[in-house]
Amino acid sequence: MKYDLVVVGGGPGGLAAAIEAKKNGIESILVIERAKELGGILQQCIHNGFGLHEFKEELTGPEYAGRFIDQLLEMNIEYKLDTMVLDVTNQKEVHAINSKDGYMLIEAKAVIFSMGCRERTRGAISIPGDRPAGVFTAGAAQRYINMEGYMVGKRVVILGSGDIGLIMARRLTLEGAEVLAVAELMPFSGGLTRNIVQCLEDYNIPLYLSHTVIDIQGKDRVQKVILAKVDENRQPISGTEIEYECDTLLLSVGLIPENDISRKTGVEMDRRTNGPIVNEMMETSVPGIFACGNVVHVHDLVDFVSGEARKAGKAAAKYIKGEVSEGEYIFLKNGNGISYTVPQKVRMVNVEKALEVFMRVNRIFKEVTLEVKAGEEVLMSWKKNHMAPGEMERIMIPKAKLEQAQGKEIVIEVVEGRQIIACTSYDNCTEEAVGGAK
């Protein structure tokens, strides 16, 4: 079997990438999806809030996915469902299997990885206690309720304030369950501010920051969950325990990009994102293999996944047609306050008008400046009233500014300004410069 382009994953990223490649002149495309339907995780996200950037209107997850599925079908792009990709070689040979076709060896000119991400489980975070029924990841509970029609519990505690956990707090409440509390290990929430307001505050559900689960009790079913406050080293503080009699514990403790295939392929990985290192065209370290969406880094909004996927689809089309230019790489580095940047490197020759850069900060900031520097020269800066790890930042760096950094590394950092820390009179003020800012 031979195709110009194979897209691994039929979620929102894979669909958008395949559609964009077709729009850019690639006719022979195959989308491979391991589930029984296209659309990925969006099919179980029945709440609204999707599509505000992409379609300028508010859609549910299935509605958003449906629009891309309709485009895929209109363009006659080939796809295979219920098909597992076993391996992708660095020669772009895709090994896959399903019950209809059996074992398949598919040769491609380019491959796009769009496998999404998976949830961390109880085993990944080592919660002590008994092992009764009633402990679910938030995504598994979402599927049970929204797609299978099963109620997971009546009295619920949620660990982790990621967006899925916050949304499930509201969903369970609307279905008649009592959500007793949401506990978060970090001193800040991992979810969007709008979800904290709409899913917790609107329903008077308490959020305990700097708290974690220290014990699960129960024989056949969860009977009690014990929370405790943690110190700056994230260790439980004795005497701060809170006990909840409940029958269910949901875990919303982070997402991990699904990169088992990427690692087997030999793609260079970024330990900060747990995803592939990509360039300005969303191309990995293996020529002709591209990646987009949550497989690269975990996004807040599916609209941004679609935009990133279109970039990968267009780039893959250029690669297949031999239109990609080689050039010297400029590397993007994360400075003070920045956890990571995507892309991690850029070739100026392939940037058309501007470079789109995604990033997250490593703690909450207020009233700061976000700067892009080349050496000591500040290329661009933005005033930011509020920045939080739970909300991804996106900036555009014009090509003209990038050209000023030729031969230098680009550093993106948060600069905190001067703060007056003591003032006894007008003439006797002392100031502290934080982060080296003037």
Side-chain angles (χ1 to χ4, degrees):
M1 301 173 69
K2 293 186 179 182
Y3 290 88
D4 287 340
L5 175 63
V6 173
V7 180
V8 183
L15 296 174
I19 290 165
E20 191 66 21
K22 186 70 177 275
K23 287 179 179 178
N24 281 269
I26 305 304
E27 294 296 327
S28 176
I29 302 172
L30 175 65
V31 178
I32 301 176
E33 170 56 49
R34 68 181 177 185
K36 289 180 169 58
E37 68 277 325
L38 294 169
I41 199 70
L42 288 182
Q43 298 291 9
Q44 69 185 50
C45 299
I46 64 172
H47 54 279
N48 59 7
F50 301 94
L52 291 171
H53 294 266
E54 188 73 16
F55 298 110
K56 310 303 179 190
E57 60 180 304
E58 208 167 18
L59 304 172
T60 65
E63 286 174 330
Y64 186 98
R67 297 202 176 185
F68 283 94
I69 293 169
D70 289 344
Q71 288 184 57
L72 192 87
L73 297 176
E74 288 170 8
M75 292 181 168
N76 294 315
I77 296 174
E78 192 176 340
Y79 62 92
K80 289 184 180 295
L81 301 177
D82 215 4
T83 302
M84 178 66 74
V85 173
L86 304 174
D87 193 14
V88 178
T89 71
N90 55 19
Q91 301 301 313
K92 297 178 282 294
E93 294 176 334
V94 180
H95 297 257
I97 191 168
N98 64 27
S99 58
K100 180 181 177 182
D101 303 299
Y103 194 97
M104 294 170 280
L105 175 60
I106 305 165
E107 296 179 17
K109 295 178 181 177
V111 177
I112 297 178
F113 287 153
S114 181
M115 293 88 75
C117 56
R118 63 176 182 265
E119 295 180 281
R120 281 194 177 90
T121 61
R122 177 182 178 177
I125 58 173
S126 303
I127 300 176
D130 301 328
R131 300 186 65 83
V135 180
F136 302 89
T137 62
Q142 186 181 57
R143 183 174 181 92
Y144 276 128
I145 294 172
N146 293 347
M147 298 190 75
E148 312 297 339
Y150 296 110
M151 191 63 178
V152 295
K154 296 180 180 178
R155 289 174 60 85
V156 184
V157 171
I158 299 176
L159 175 61
S161 60
D163 288 313
I164 303 174
L166 298 176
I167 289 164
M168 284 309 297
R170 176 179 62 185
R171 186 79 181 99
L172 285 160
T173 302
L174 293 174
E175 288 295 334
E178 183 181 2
V179 179
L180 304 171
V182 176
E184 170 58 54
L185 178 68
M186 303 301 289
F188 48 80
S189 172
L192 294 170
T193 302
R194 74 180 190 194
N195 285 333
I196 297 170
V197 173
Q198 295 173 3
C199 301
L200 298 187
E201 293 178 9
D202 286 358
Y203 296 92
N204 297 316
I205 299 171
L207 171 62
Y208 293 102
L209 299 176
S210 298
H211 280 72
T212 192
V213 172
I214 61 168
D215 195 14
I216 300 171
Q217 297 179 8
K219 186 178 179 183
D220 297 321
R221 178 83 188 193
V222 172
Q223 296 173 329
K224 186 181 290 186
V225 167
I226 301 174
L227 307 180
K229 191 169 184 176
V230 298
D231 59 22
E232 62 274 8
N233 297 316
R234 302 178 195 171
Q235 297 301 311
I237 301 171
S238 180
T240 62
E241 294 83 3
I242 309 171
E243 295 188 2
Y244 286 102
E245 292 186 3
C246 58
D247 58 19
T248 304
L249 173 66
L250 293 194
L251 304 178
S252 178
V253 291
L255 300 168
I256 304 170
E258 189 76 77
N259 274 300
D260 294 339
I261 294 171
S262 309
R263 291 186 182 91
K264 288 172 68 178
T265 304
V267 165
E268 188 179 356
M269 306 296 290
D270 189 333
R271 286 186 292 181
R272 301 168 302 173
T273 60
N274 287 317
I277 291 174
V278 294
N279 62 22
E280 75 289 345
M281 302 183 73
M282 303 308 295
E283 186 180 26
T284 68
S285 60
V286 178
I289 296 183
F290 300 79
C292 62
N294 285 350
V295 82
V296 179
H297 62 124
V298 177
H299 293 63
D300 300 332
L301 304 177
V302 70
D303 305 66
F304 292 162
V305 169
S306 299
E308 195 174 88
R310 278 198 297 272
K311 190 189 303 180
K314 184 177 180 180
K318 281 187 172 182
Y319 177 87
I320 292 166
K321 293 186 287 187
E323 297 174 358
V324 177
S325 301
E326 292 300 325
E328 290 291 324
Y329 274 113
I330 297 174
F331 291 89
L332 277 67
K333 299 293 184 181
N334 52 300
N336 175 61
I338 303 296
S339 295
Y340 69 83
T341 65
V342 171
Q344 292 89 345
K345 55 186 181 179
V346 55
R347 293 168 298 188
M348 203 79 64
V349 69
N350 292 312
V351 177
E352 294 179 0
K353 295 180 180 179
L355 177 69
E356 183 180 44
V357 181
F358 292 97
M359 72 199 76
R360 286 187 191 272
V361 294
N362 55 23
R363 62 186 188 276
I364 291 177
F365 291 98
K366 293 184 182 296
E367 305 297 334
V368 294
T369 303
L370 182 64
E371 286 187 352
V372 178
K373 300 172 70 175
E376 295 301 314
E377 181 184 1
V378 177
L379 301 179
M380 300 186 73
S381 64
W382 296 264
K383 294 291 184 183
K384 294 287 185 177
N385 295 326
H386 176 81
M387 300 172 77
E391 299 185 13
M392 193 169 66
E393 298 290 331
R394 181 179 65 153
I395 61 173
M396 301 293 287
I397 307 175
K399 185 171 184 176
K401 293 290 184 182
L402 288 173
E403 288 171 344
Q404 296 177 29
Q406 199 71 46
K408 302 176 184 176
E409 287 184 344
I410 293 177
V411 177
I412 302 176
E413 64 181 5
V414 178
V415 178
E416 301 171 82
R418 283 185 178 276
Q419 296 177 342
I420 296 177
I421 58 173
C423 193
T424 55
S425 69
Y426 183 82
D427 297 319
N428 184 22
C429 285
T430 57
E431 296 179 339
E432 182 182 40
V434 182
K438 294 181 179 179

